[in-house]
Amino acid sequence: SQQGEEDPQALSIQEGENATMNCSYKTSINNLQWYRQNSGRGLVHLILIRSNEREKHSGRLRVTLDTSKKSSSLLITASRAADTASYFCALDTGRRALTFGSGTRLQVQP
Amino acid sequence: EAGVAQSPRYKIIEKRQSVAFWCNPISGHATLYWYQQILGQGPKLLIQFQNNGVVDDSQLPKDRFSAERLKGVDSTLKIQPAKLEDSAVYLCASSAPRSNTGELFFGEGSRLTVL
């Protein structure tokens, strides 16, 4: 399979807590990207991590990549109600367009 | 800059009817994608264009789906005849030429309900 698999499928936390979601994959990649989708909207690019990188930060987001385990994690620190959305990992294999996993649905309770 | 524009936002049709969706990508973006997103799932690629040529349509159900990108700008995705399982959100995305990130810019999507 050339798509990632996110875990957990759904996550509910309180505002201020950290949210961690994981993505596992089976193919070789050039980079891995994370996207957010608010209900009824399109996807928005959050962050990209290249295959030779191990960790990357952007604001409250922290992404890690372990190519030996073929897994990535997205950490959202100090979550807010506005972070409620679905989060998707997307694989860039260099052979075709981005392939998306089935997503993690995050609910942040105020 | 203006984002990816899609229309219509919502469409309800009976099975066996036809429907068309339109997409205008970000100005200057040579690559255009149509993805299908079924409720509760991630987007699945239907077709990828580079300018007005097809790069990948291996997952496009060609017996009922067709897409074109005349003049390498706007694109239209058509379904004829529609089936119940075609109920989904159809997302258009574009990417910049020679982008070193491969980031995709998505439109808001066109939600299709087939009754």
Side-chain angles (χ1 to χ4, degrees), chain A residues 31 33 35 37 40-43 45 48 50 88 96-98 100-102 105, chain B residues 9 33 35 37 42-43 45 48 56 59 91 100-104 106-108:
Chain A
N31 66 62
Q33 303 180 29
Y35 286 77
Q37 185 178 36
R41 309 294 295 273
L43 283 76
H45 180 264
L48 174 150
R50 301 186 190 284
F88 297 90
R96 61 180 313 198
L98 289 183
F100 291 82
S102 54
R105 280 163 289 287
Chain B
R9 286 277 281 134
Y33 313 79
Y35 281 85
Q37 186 177 26
L45 179 72
Q48 177 186 353
D56 183 356
Q59 298 187 94
L91 294 162
N100 65 351
T101 67
E103 174 185 349
L104 299 189
F106 282 85
E108 298 283 52

Side-chain angles (χ1 to χ4, degrees), chain B residues 7-8 10-14 16-22 64-66 76-83 86-87 90 110-114:
Chain B
S7 68
Y10 305 93
K11 189 73 176 180
I12 301 173
I13 61 173
E14 302 273 337
R16 290 186 290 275
Q17 288 186 324
S18 63
V19 63
F21 302 112
W22 172 83
R64 298 181 300 104
F65 286 65
S66 65
T76 303
L77 176 70
K78 296 179 181 178
I79 308 174
Q80 181 180 16
K83 292 186 175 181
D86 298 332
S87 293
Y90 292 86
S110 294
R111 180 178 297 275
L112 173 65
T113 302
V114 182

Side-chain angles (χ1 to χ4, degrees), chain B residues 42-67:
Chain B
K44 183 185 99 173
L45 179 72
L46 291 175
I47 189 167
Q48 177 186 353
F49 291 95
Q50 179 75 23
N51 296 309
N52 61 350
V54 175
V55 174
D56 183 356
D57 64 355
S58 57
Q59 298 187 94
L60 186 74
K62 298 180 185 65
D63 57 334
R64 298 181 300 104
F65 286 65
S66 65

